[in-house]
Amino acid sequence: MSEESKQIIISAQCARIIVCISEMYGVSLRDATDIYYGSETANLIEEGVADLHCRSDKYLAEEVWREYMASNGHTLKS
């Protein structure tokens, strides 16, 4: 697979994760985009670390949201 093909696949996944964040947590697409691109998870996906790109969009949306909440001083209950 070419580097260009990989980038297209990752870009499409990013868009789906942003939509998931928006729908799951009731935030605007603009806010979901900011949350996603401000996350360390987004950087790890882009870098191909730990095969995160193989995880489901919903799972990654949840991870990004947990990271966002933690970075804003919120604690999440299991």
Side-chain angles (χ1 to χ4, degrees), residues 8-59:
I8 290 168
I9 290 169
I10 290 173
S11 294
Q13 184 176 33
C14 294
R16 292 190 310 268
I17 294 167
I18 290 166
V19 169
C20 283
I21 293 168
S22 177
E23 291 174 351
M24 291 167 60
Y25 301 104
V27 297
S28 70
L29 285 173
R30 171 175 264 163
D31 288 343
T33 301
D34 290 343
I35 292 166
Y36 177 77
Y37 283 109
S39 73
E40 181 61 27
T41 302
N43 292 332
L44 295 174
I45 292 168
E46 184 71 29
E47 293 171 6
V49 173
D51 291 331
L52 286 175
H53 62 280
C54 295
R55 303 284 183 154
S56 74
D57 299 336
K58 182 178 176 183
Y59 172 84

Side-chain angles (χ1 to χ4, degrees), residues 12 20 48 63 72 74:
C20 283
E63 288 300 310
N72 286 294
H74 300 283

